[in-house]
Amino acid sequence: MQSDKLPQNSIRNRSTPVKGVKIYSITRRLVLSLVITVILVSTITITPLYFALVSGESKDLLEKAEEYRARLFGSLELPLWNYDHNTIRAIGNTFSQNELVVKLVIINHYGITMYSMEKEHHADLVNRSGKIHHRGKYLGEFEFALTKQHIE
């Protein structure tokens, strides 16, 4: 019975898997390629957006640090001039309540620490300091640190 035997180039012989090679259906290959394409396109699209967002937030934090520095200059000038320890402490306590502030030190012109606060923090900080003068006379200085932890 010759009709039971298939010719050498029949479909059945061509679809027989080679030893060690697994043949997938077209549906499975299409789904797999679609999933890979979606993952690649998503990664290519989201990655630059993420880095733009992070750099924008870092820039905002640097601007906040400069704004806080200017506010401390203005807030501490007269209390240091008048040597008003209670007002200096109140300014320090108010400033320290900000969740970004992890360190604040205020020192008078004698080198005496008028206010000091340091919270537990990580190494990634934005540090600022300044020397306060009133009518050309040195009154003291301050130093503070903001954490980047709350913006990430």
Side-chain angles (χ1 to χ4, degrees):
M1 299 195 153
Q2 288 274 348
S3 62
D4 286 341
K5 290 188 177 182
L6 292 173
Q8 286 290 345
N9 57 356
S10 74
I11 293 174
R12 178 180 262 172
N13 284 341
R14 277 190 265 153
S15 66
T16 311
V18 178
K19 188 175 186 179
V21 176
K22 194 170 186 178
I23 304 237
Y24 295 105
S25 69
I26 190 163
T27 306
R28 196 171 199 180
R29 282 186 273 161
L30 284 173
V31 168
L32 184 61
S33 64
L34 182 63
V35 167
I36 290 172
T37 303
V38 167
I39 290 171
L40 284 174
V41 169
S42 298
T43 303
I44 290 170
T45 304
I46 292 173
T47 302
L49 293 174
Y50 171 77
F51 286 116
L53 181 68
V54 168
S55 70
E57 287 177 345
S58 293
K59 182 181 173 189
D60 290 345
L61 185 64
L62 293 174
E63 289 173 3
K64 274 187 182 184
E66 287 304 317
E67 178 186 331
Y68 292 170
R69 183 174 181 232
R71 286 188 181 181
L72 276 175
F73 271 121
S75 299
L76 291 172
E77 184 178 1
L78 288 179
L80 282 171
W81 176 258
N82 294 327
Y83 202 74
D84 186 355
H85 189 74
N86 290 334
T87 304
I88 293 169
R89 193 173 327 124
I91 291 169
N93 285 333
T94 303
F95 188 76
S96 299
Q97 289 175 359
N98 187 323
E99 65 181 13
L100 295 176
V101 177
V102 293
K103 178 182 178 183
L104 175 62
V105 178
I106 303 169
I107 300 171
N108 70 8
H109 66 285
Y110 294 117
I112 298 170
T113 301
M114 303 291 285
Y115 183 85
S116 180
M117 177 281 304
E118 191 163 351
K119 299 175 188 172
E120 190 175 316
H121 60 276
H122 298 282
D124 203 13
L125 301 175
V126 174
N127 294 297
R128 292 291 182 267
S129 63
K131 296 185 182 210
I132 301 171
H133 294 82
H134 181 72
R135 297 182 184 165
K137 183 179 178 190
Y138 172 73
L139 300 178
E141 55 191 77
F142 64 86
E143 177 184 358
F144 68 92
L146 303 179
T147 180
K148 293 181 180 181
Q149 181 178 6
H150 292 286
I151 65 167
E152 294 179 349

